[in-house]
Amino acid sequence: AQSVSQHNHHVILSEAASLELGCNYSYGGTVNLFWYVQYPGQHLQLLLKYFSGDPLVKGIKGFEAEFIKSKFSFNLRKPSVQWSDTAEYFCAVNGDNRDDKIIFGKGTRLHILP
Amino acid sequence: DTAVSQTPKYLVTQMGNDKSIKCEQNLGHDTMYWYKQDSKKFLKIMFSYNNKELIINETVPNRFSPKSPDKAHLNLHINSLELGDSAVYFCASSLQRTSGGFFLRTDTQYFGPGTRLTVL
C-alpha cells in the first residue's frame, strides 16, 4: 500500500541546533517527493521538491533534503534552525501517472525554543 | 495577486445545513484538488479535477459534491452537514506536464489558505 511515514511527531530544539526530520515512503514506480511547511494559522507552502536529477535538493529558507532511493527516504535537514522555523512539516509523495494522488505524511510539529 | 483563493475563510453552521466553499486559482493550472485536514493535522485528498474532469474521487460521503464550472474554479458543496465534517478544507491546484500530448507528471501543488468549517 502507498504510504508516507514521518517518524517524529513532535520535535523540540533550541535555536541554532541542527535539524533532521525523517521521511520514508512506500510507493511503487517513479516517485516525486515534496516537503511542505505549515506555519501556525497558515496554509501549506512548498519548501522543496524532488522530481529527478541530483538527489540532494535545496529549498527555501536554508532547508535541504536528500533522496536516498535504496532507503526509500527523503529526510529534511537544516544546519541551524531559527525560532521562525516553528511550524508543522509534511512530507509528501506522488507518482508519475495521471491519476496518482499525492499522499501526505502525518506531519512533524517542530517547536524551536528562543 | 492571490494564487489560490478560498471563500469563506471561516464557516460556522448548524448540523443538517447545506453549505458551499469556493475555490479559484489564477495560476493557469489545469488540475485542482480538495483536501480535508482533521484536528490532528492529517491531510487527506478528497477530490481532484483535471480540465473539469473528475480524476480522483476518494471514499468520501456522497454528501460532498465537487463542482468545476471551469479550469480555474473548483467548488465544494456539502449537504446535511454533520459534526464530523468539522475540519479545515484546503483547495490546491497544479499543472499536468505533457509532451506531445502524453502525460509526463503532475507538477507541484499550490495550496489555498484553507476554510475552517465548524459544525455545531
Side-chain angles (χ1 to χ4, degrees):
Chain A
Q2 299 164 344
S3 65
V4 176
S5 174
Q6 291 181 240
H7 319 297
N8 318 101
H9 296 297
H10 196 181
V11 173
I12 301 174
L13 293 172
S14 298
E15 272 195 311
S18 66
L19 170 73
E20 180 158 2
L21 301 182
C23 173
N24 285 90
Y25 65 91
S26 171
Y27 205 102
T30 305
V31 293
N32 305 307
L33 297 153
F34 309 85
W35 274 99
Y36 282 88
V37 60
Q38 189 176 25
Y39 296 104
Q42 295 189 29
H43 61 285
L44 279 88
Q45 300 170 47
L46 182 71
L47 265 184
L48 47 78
K49 62 187 178 188
Y50 171 82
F51 286 151
S52 63
D54 188 345
L56 184 62
V57 180
K58 295 199 183 298
I60 60 171
K61 305 188 181 188
F63 285 91
E64 66 177 32
E66 186 174 12
F67 171 46
I68 303 180
K69 192 175 180 180
S70 59
K71 294 186 179 179
F72 301 93
S73 71
F74 191 55
N75 292 352
L76 181 70
R77 299 194 291 248
K78 184 170 183 178
S80 176
V81 293
Q82 301 170 308
W83 178 78
S84 58
D85 293 325
T86 295
E88 191 101 17
Y89 291 81
F90 294 91
C91 181
V93 62
N94 75 354
D96 266 0
N97 296 314
R98 183 171 177 261
D99 56 355
D100 280 342
K101 55 184 182 286
I102 192 168
I103 297 173
F104 284 86
K106 291 192 175 180
T108 297
R109 182 166 295 177
L110 176 64
H111 189 79
I112 306 299
L113 302 172
Chain B
D1 258 319
T2 306
V4 184
S5 60
Q6 292 179 230
T7 53
K9 194 167 181 183
Y10 299 96
L11 185 53
V12 182
T13 188
Q14 299 284 337
M15 245 183 2
N17 283 350
D18 303 339
K19 289 293 177 187
S20 292
I21 308 172
K22 294 186 177 181
C23 177
E24 177 181 1
Q25 54 93 5
N26 62 5
L27 296 167
H29 289 168
D30 56 5
T31 307
M32 296 184 73
Y33 312 80
W34 275 109
Y35 288 87
K36 181 180 180 181
Q37 187 176 46
D38 62 24
S39 57
K40 293 182 180 174
K41 298 279 190 166
F42 184 53
L43 265 167
K44 194 162 186 298
I45 191 163
M46 301 172 70
F47 302 102
S48 172
Y49 271 74
N50 172 252
N51 286 319
K52 305 197 303 173
E53 177 193 349
L54 182 66
I55 57 171
I56 293 174
N57 184 356
E58 285 297 282
T59 310
V60 299
N62 57 15
R63 299 181 292 104
F64 289 79
S65 52
K67 285 191 174 40
S68 182
D70 54 58
K71 283 197 314 184
H73 296 83
L74 181 62
N75 304 324
L76 183 65
H77 189 76
I78 316 170
N79 289 327
S80 304
L81 278 155
E82 299 178 359
L83 293 176
D85 297 333
S86 294
V88 181
Y89 292 84
F90 285 100
C91 177
S93 73
S94 69
L95 189 63
Q96 294 203 345
R97 299 286 180 188
T98 59
S99 176
F102 291 97
F103 174 81
L104 287 180
R105 66 159 184 261
T106 300
D107 216 333
T108 305
Q109 293 187 25
Y110 292 86
F111 285 79
T115 296
R116 184 174 292 275
L117 171 65
T118 303
V119 182
L120 303 174

